[in-house]
Structures are given as C-alpha cells and as structure tokens.
Amino acid sequence: MLSAATYGENGKMKEYHYSGPVEHRFSPYTFNGGTVLAVAGEDFAIVASDTRLSEGYSIHSRDSPKCYKLTDRTVIGCSGFHGDCLTLTKIIDARLKMYKHSNNKTMTSGAIAAMLSTILYSRRFFPYYVYNIIGGLDEEGRGAVYSFDPVGSYQRDTYKAGGSASAMLQPLLDNQIGFKNMENVEHLPLSQEKAVQLVKDVFISAAERDVYTGDALRICIVTKDGIKEETVPLRKD
Amino acid sequence: MALQDICRQPHTPAFPLSRKWNDPISLALDGGDTNTVLGRGGFATLPFYMPLTANTGFKKPPLRPRTPHPAPPNQIPKRAAVAVPFELAHGTTTLSFKFQGGVIAAADTRSSCAGYVECPTAEKVIPIHSHLVGTTSGTSADCMLWKRILSRECRLYQLRNKVPLTVKGTAKLLSAALSPFKGTELCVAATLCGWDRTGPSLHYVYSDGTRLEGQLFSVGSGSPYAYSVLDREYRFDMSVPEAYALARNAVYHATHRDAYSGGCVDLYHVTECGWRKIGRDNLLPVYYEKKGGGEVRGF
C-alpha cells in the first residue's frame, strides 16, 4: 500500500530507486503472501484460503493451503509469515491436546479464540507475524468467525478477509453479506450454497488483482456433520 | 464448563443466546435491565456482583503481612528487539463524564491501522465488572488484554478482602501493573468509569504512569473535537436524556472531523445498580439529521 514511507527524501520510491544509504539488518520476518477469508452463516461456517506461497518476486509453492483444521468444529486460517504460521498452529494443537486431557472435552471455538489471543499477546514484544481468522460453530451450532490482529486483539464477526488481498475483499464482503451502502434491499440470510459461490467469486477477483493470491482455492465448510473440503483452481500467473 | 460437569451443577439457565460475558456479540444486545449483565448466561444476577453498601459499616480490611512483590522480570525489552513490518490498531475517540445521574462512557467504533479500517465495529468500551466499565484507547490488543487482567485482579481482590475495590483503587492497580512496561511500546490510555461505595467515580490511566481523577475526560485522536463540544454544554446537573444526547453529539462531531474515528457510537451508563449499554448508533443517519437542521436526539 502506498504511504509516506514508500518515498525517500529525494522524492523517489525507496523500493526502486536509490534514495540514500540504508542500513540493512537481518530481519527475522518475511512476508509469504496469501489471503484468508471466513464467513459465518446460521448453521455453518466457511473458511477459505488460496494456496500460493510466495516470497518477494518468487513463488515457493502452489500447493500450500492456509486453512488448518483444529477440531471437528473449528478451522483456523493463518496468513503472513509462513514460519510463524507453522509454529503457531503447532502450539495451538498442543494446547488443544492439553485441554482435552485435563478437561475431558474439546475446546469450543470461543475458547480457542480466547486462548489464541493470550498466546499471541505473550509475544507482545516479538510478535508472531500472522493474521489469523478462526471459523467454526459455537456452542449453539451457529456459525462464528473470530478475527485477530498479530498481537492478539480479537473480535467476533460475521465475515472477515485477512492477508494480502484483504483490503480488496473486505469492501466487497461488506456490500454483499453486510448489505452496506445498499438502499431498499431485502436483507436475506445467507444460505450455504450462496456463501460458497460468493467465496469462489471473490477469490477469483482477488487473484486477478493481487499478485500474491492465486493458484488454487481451498474451501473448508464447517457444519454440524463435520468439515468438508473443496479445491477450486485459480489463476496461476 | 468441565468443572461444572464433574460437580454435577446445572448449567446456567438459557438466556436465549447464552454467551460468555466477554464475548463482544453479547454486548451488542440491546435492552435488559440494570441488575443483570447482558449476555451473562441467564437472568441470575452476576455472580461477580456485590451489592454496594452505602457507607454503612465499612471497615477497611486489616492489613495482612504480604510477601513482597517479586521483582519485575528484567527481560522486558525497552524497544522491540526487531522492527515489526506491520502497524497495530490505533486511533479513536472516547469520552466519559460524571453527572448527577451516574457516569456516562461513550466511544466510536472504528479500529484502524495505517490507513486501513481494520474493523468498523470494534468494542472500545469494555465492562470490567458489574459496576465498572473502561474505555480503551491506544493499541487495541494492549487495552483488551490488560482489561482482562484487570478484571481478574479485581475479582481476586474481592475474594481476598470481601469488599470490592473502589474505582480509585482499580486505577491504581492498573497503573501499578503497567509500570514495569513504562518506556516500551505498550500504549494503554483508559478511563475507568464506575460506581463504588463512594459514589460515581471516574479515573484516567495512561501507560506512561499518569493517573488522574476528574469529572470529564476525552481520550484519543478525536478528543480535541469532543472536548470542544463537551466543554460547551456539560453541566453536572444535566438530566439523563441530555447526557446521552451530549455524549452522542460529542462523538459524532469528533468522528466527523477526525479521520481515524468513525463508525457507530457506543453508549454506556453506570449507575448504582451497575452498568447498562444504552445502544450502538450508526452515525451515518445522524449526519443527515444534522444536515437537515435537526439535533442529535437523546432518549
């Protein structure tokens, strides 16, 4: 995104022109791209992500989905720095097992969200560079989506897009699911088929305009009968 | 809860959507009377609710010899060890004031980072316990997590000492808990609005160590605009609808002029019976109301 920081003091863009001496230090972070989307319905939740893993101008893998199944009723989507995504999901899995052994029940989606918030905040001064979105069913069987920032601030939403194309997708979701800025429109509840179709359309649009999104789309649909996965091809360029 | 199952306790009665108290959705429910906390599984009064005894028979709990606080861990880095490649959510308008009918807390709902609105429906007024709400400003993750810690510490104090902490004491507790992090990038600017045995109480706490008591506070990037509206019309003896209208009006004007504030306005009212969420109003129609020459309504 363009901001004041992209231009150096001589008015030229820092990434493409020489704008003065710069000290290069080792950075433990890198950005691996990817977009994650989650939508909550009456009795279902959808978590979708693209499967492209990139770094700079290269693509490392075309088959690296960003949705991870946590329990039978919860899926998490993590985008950002892939190293931190892997470690974070390992830690979450371990904590889920510990909870299961101490309390003899699986963690609910809300509890996983609260726990993830504390895990992320424990690294407040050297954060996990991961944008998380949890999608699943809550205790009553209703769809729930929880979106996080890298240091643990979270909140429950109906829909959320995260990752590199989030700024492009979120306004589209606001309009189509939230009915924002539409006048005299009937607010119909979202059916599962319509939601899946919307997610596919939205990712096809994202792949057109965002270089870090593409290759394939992995959709996980969470219902009370379990988690169903679907893969849809996207643009490979 | 697993413990409930083992002890064979009945689950808390089903409020139609029995969400946990700190689930943001539960706070969006409107209505409800002041004795029950919205969304807390049922119509039973809060287990964490202690009826205030007004100044009668209060005895300060005897000072118990306590083990000294362990020295703060010295591995809190003063600066982040690495430069992080992302911005955290900032920018807000929150305000709170005391008046004859209690304490009002209001805030906008826009959570932004580096020019992108991360969340247009964030919760910036967070209940801490039945008689205390806190407005949050600064980094939203810091505020959210520290408020959770504060709720836990208030509850522990109540259990150990049999009386609830006053708002002044809570402010001091928060300030002391944040002091090891002074000089780091932690940013919490909170006003604690509550009702305790001394009556309505309002304190401002900032993570650099500031702790102030007052009648009226506004915090955040939109606070200059809110202050101008508040200072013009604030009086201690306002009626309740006037107070609601003033709070909404002030937040509206701040969101109109400050780019980092916007969305809706959340309004909370704390009285002797506890806190109550008055509502969350979208500010877009208010703009059109004002353009048409109307006044921001209060009910």
Side-chain angles (χ1 to χ4, degrees):
Chain A
M1 263 200 317
L2 287 179
S3 65
T6 51
Y7 288 92
E9 270 162 41
N10 56 359
K12 298 209 164 136
M13 289 183 81
K14 280 191 200 155
E15 235 181 80
Y16 303 107
H17 301 277
Y18 179 69
S19 49
V22 174
E23 184 190 352
H24 286 283
R25 302 190 62 182
F26 169 70
S27 169
Y29 296 113
T30 178
F31 182 60
N32 290 116
T35 306
V36 179
L37 180 73
V39 178
E42 267 299 306
D43 55 355
F44 66 91
I46 295 175
V47 182
S49 76
D50 73 321
T51 59
R52 174 176 289 182
L53 189 75
S54 46
E55 186 172 350
Y57 291 115
S58 319
I59 295 178
H60 286 315
S61 167
R62 295 194 191 276
D63 185 24
S64 164
K66 292 158 193 66
C67 320
Y68 301 91
K69 174 173 167 284
L70 295 178
T71 66
D72 281 329
R73 304 164 71 116
T74 319
V75 176
I76 188 171
C78 312
S79 66
F81 171 42
H82 192 61
D84 277 345
C85 295
L86 292 174
T87 305
L88 190 61
T89 44
K90 274 193 200 132
I91 290 178
I92 296 172
D93 280 334
R95 293 284 297 265
L96 284 173
K97 279 198 191 115
M98 282 158 59
Y99 185 96
K100 182 80 195 275
H101 288 133
S102 339
N103 300 94
N104 201 23
K105 61 188 256 235
T106 0
M107 274 184 104
T108 58
S109 300
I112 296 177
M115 177 185 76
L116 180 56
S117 173
T118 49
I119 293 174
L120 293 170
Y121 198 77
S122 68
R123 291 270 299 255
R124 171 68 176 82
F125 297 107
F126 183 11
Y128 290 110
Y129 182 14
V130 189
Y131 292 92
N132 295 289
I133 303 184
I134 290 181
L137 299 177
D138 66 9
E139 292 96 316
E140 284 114 29
R142 258 182 270 255
V145 165
Y146 295 92
S147 62
F148 293 77
D149 82 347
V151 277
S153 163
Y154 79 104
Q155 105 150 35
R156 186 170 174 173
D157 293 309
T158 318
Y159 53 87
K160 185 78 180 174
S164 57
S166 60
M168 284 179 223
L169 299 184
Q170 189 66 35
L172 181 55
L173 295 177
D174 282 335
N175 181 267
Q176 289 296 308
I177 305 181
F179 302 105
K180 300 267 172 75
N181 301 312
M182 291 219 276
E183 310 238 339
N184 305 322
V185 160
E186 208 190 325
H187 289 224
L188 294 165
L190 200 62
S191 69
Q192 188 175 320
E193 294 72 31
K194 192 153 177 286
V196 172
Q197 192 50 50
L198 183 67
V199 166
K200 289 179 185 163
D201 290 338
V202 142
F203 263 91
I204 290 170
S205 313
E208 293 286 326
R209 287 289 183 176
D210 181 37
V211 303
Y212 296 112
T213 306
D215 293 329
L217 165 66
R218 173 75 64 93
I219 305 183
C220 302
I221 305 168
V222 186
T223 52
K224 62 173 172 18
D225 304 318
I227 299 180
K228 203 160 59 86
E229 284 187 12
E230 221 180 291
T231 306
V232 169
L234 292 175
R235 287 184 80 111
K236 291 188 174 5
D237 59 2
Chain B
M1 279 184 19
L3 195 57
Q4 260 181 328
D5 288 340
I6 290 169
C7 304
R8 279 173 243 263
Q9 289 289 336
H11 283 275
T12 43
F15 187 72
L17 313 158
S18 59
R19 301 185 200 281
K20 300 293 170 281
W21 74 269
N22 60 350
D23 185 332
I25 289 275
S26 71
L27 302 172
L29 297 170
D30 227 317
D33 69 77
T34 53
N35 269 336
T36 62
V37 175
L38 296 171
R40 173 93 57 156
F43 26 77
T45 47
L46 248 194
F48 178 21
Y49 172 99
M50 183 154 286
L52 302 166
T53 50
N55 280 343
T56 53
F58 168 67
K59 285 189 285 235
K60 236 173 128 61
L63 280 176
R64 243 163 251 138
R66 259 187 255 224
T67 51
H69 234 290
N74 53 7
Q75 67 259 34
I76 301 168
K78 281 295 175 191
R79 263 176 312 107
V82 282
V84 292
F86 49 77
E87 294 267 340
L88 299 173
H90 261 97
T92 185
T93 303
T94 65
L95 59 92
S96 46
F97 55 84
K98 276 199 286 202
F99 73 116
Q100 53 82 17
V103 190
I104 297 278
D108 75 313
T109 60
R110 175 175 291 182
S111 171
S112 53
C113 39
Y116 177 63
V117 177
E118 204 42 65
C119 183
T121 49
E123 285 276 345
K124 294 190 195 176
V125 187
I126 300 177
I128 296 171
H129 60 74
S130 62
H131 286 76
L132 181 64
V133 297
T135 66
T136 63
S137 177
T139 313
S140 56
D142 291 331
C143 292
M144 194 185 256
L145 270 293
W146 280 100
K147 288 272 160 67
R148 261 180 100 168
I149 293 171
L150 190 64
S151 304
R152 182 191 70 195
E153 293 303 317
C154 284
R155 179 60 174 148
L156 286 172
Y157 184 97
Q158 187 184 356
L159 288 169
R160 288 178 183 139
N161 303 98
K162 295 191 172 57
V163 283
L165 258 183
T166 57
V167 180
K168 188 169 188 175
T170 319
K172 201 162 194 183
L173 186 68
L174 181 60
S175 192
L178 289 172
S179 66
F181 298 94
K182 190 172 155 141
T184 66
E185 54 187 30
L186 210 74
C187 183
V188 174
T191 59
L192 298 174
C193 322
W195 191 293
D196 55 32
R197 60 173 181 272
T198 62
S201 192
L202 179 58
H203 285 77
Y204 166 69
V205 177
Y206 186 43
S207 50
D208 72 352
T210 311
R211 191 168 41 91
L212 300 169
E213 170 162 25
Q215 298 266 57
L216 172 74
F217 285 112
S218 176
V219 187
S221 54
S223 62
Y225 309 105
Y227 269 130
S228 57
V229 174
L230 285 168
D231 288 335
R232 197 168 56 124
E233 284 166 20
Y234 170 76
R235 288 167 298 120
F236 188 81
D237 49 5
M238 282 188 295
S239 68
V240 169
E242 278 177 350
Y244 292 171
L246 176 62
R248 280 201 189 96
N249 207 10
V251 174
Y252 162 72
H253 282 282
T255 58
H256 187 51
R257 281 293 178 181
D258 179 34
Y260 291 101
S261 308
C264 309
V265 54
D266 275 340
L267 190 59
Y268 282 70
H269 184 188
V270 189
T271 55
E272 201 171 350
C273 313
W275 62 261
R276 192 163 85 95
K277 179 164 184 172
I278 308 305
R280 163 172 280 204
D281 300 311
N282 200 341
L283 287 169
L284 187 62
V286 175
Y287 171 71
Y288 287 106
E289 242 177 62
K290 293 216 98 173
K291 236 176 116 168
E295 275 303 310
V296 180
R297 76 211 179 320
F299 45 78

